[in-house]
Amino acid sequence: KIVMKQNKSFSFNGAIQAGLFSLYGNNFYFDYDSFKIDLQNVDSLRVRLRIEDRNTRRTDIINIENLIQNLTGEILIDDPLNKSGLKSNPEYPVFRSNENSYVYFDDKSIQGGVYNRDKVFFELEPFEIDSLDNFTREGMGLSGVFYSSGLLPPLEQSLTLRQDNSLGFVYKVPEAGLPVYEG
């Protein structure tokens, strides 16, 4: 359902495909003047990645295994003075999150789904990613805190795209060690 507003703006619910990003949710609002989509309730963000086989020169598009969930933000479609798209602006579209969001590890494909999302999760700080049409592995570096239900203390980390196409991090334990199970 699309509700038309003044000056070519409209509100809607559902799915948005912006380059290699797919967003699902409701309470979205496209503002024609600023040429952006305000995203009030994104339940999940699926990121895809182009992988080129150097031998065959074939390009495949694959899903990054984890979803980013519980977001708010905006998609800047293009420069508001370039609505016709006559000028190339490869940095667009741009996604900006406004508040903390989350990556959970409770999917059945991850250790049979034993990590309860209320206890084991990565809380992302607000972030911005540009060039959604040409997103690369190196473009994913999201800061935040990993919570592990008291197994480890909260760890401030950067979530990156791993070789297995999942979001994760590598943590080098300090020489002095870490307290486990809350001490």
Side-chain angles (χ1 to χ4, degrees):
K1 177 174 154 178
I2 296 175
V3 178
M4 298 303 298
K5 306 288 185 174
Q6 288 182 327
N7 192 27
K8 303 177 196 152
S9 296
F10 56 90
S11 62
F12 63 103
N13 300 324
I16 299 171
Q17 182 75 42
L20 295 168
F21 281 43
S22 299
L23 300 104
Y24 305 91
N26 56 57
N27 201 12
F28 299 157
Y29 180 78
F30 169 69
D31 181 68
Y32 180 77
D33 288 336
S34 61
F35 214 51
K36 70 178 182 178
I37 303 171
D38 186 30
L39 309 163
Q40 288 302 308
N41 184 18
V42 179
D43 60 68
S44 62
L45 164 62
R46 164 73 68 195
V47 180
R48 294 175 302 147
L49 186 65
R50 281 189 179 89
I51 303 289
E52 185 175 333
D53 184 322
R54 292 183 182 155
N55 296 328
T56 65
R57 296 189 188 268
R58 182 177 149 196
T59 300
D60 288 324
I61 296 178
I62 60 166
N63 287 331
I64 292 176
E65 295 301 318
N66 312 73
L67 297 173
I68 299 173
Q69 297 181 306
N70 306 327
L71 298 110
T72 63
E74 60 189 12
I75 295 175
L76 308 177
I77 299 168
D78 203 336
D79 184 310
L81 301 176
N82 191 44
K83 292 180 177 92
S84 64
L86 293 177
K87 180 181 169 200
S88 175
N89 290 318
E91 69 273 17
Y92 287 97
V94 174
F95 174 77
R96 287 185 189 148
S97 72
N98 294 338
E99 299 175 0
N100 289 359
S101 53
Y102 301 87
V103 174
Y104 300 107
F105 304 95
D106 60 347
D107 189 89
K108 296 282 185 208
S109 66
I110 303 170
Q111 299 298 316
V114 300
Y115 299 117
N116 183 314
R117 72 175 36 216
D118 297 331
K119 297 180 179 183
V120 178
F121 58 91
F122 197 101
E123 184 175 20
L124 297 169
E125 297 169 357
F127 61 92
E128 179 175 312
I129 298 176
D130 64 16
S131 310
L132 301 184
D133 289 334
N134 305 305
F135 179 75
T136 64
R137 181 178 298 279
E138 297 74 31
M140 182 66 78
L142 308 172
S143 297
V145 179
F146 176 68
Y147 294 92
S148 61
S149 186
L151 171 63
L152 300 169
L155 301 174
E156 290 187 26
Q157 287 295 300
S158 183
L159 202 59
T160 60
L161 185 54
R162 313 271 302 139
Q163 284 304 115
D164 67 355
N165 300 316
S166 68
L167 295 172
F169 62 91
V170 174
Y171 182 77
K172 184 168 172 59
V173 177
E175 209 168 296
L178 282 175
V180 295
Y181 295 107
E182 298 175 343

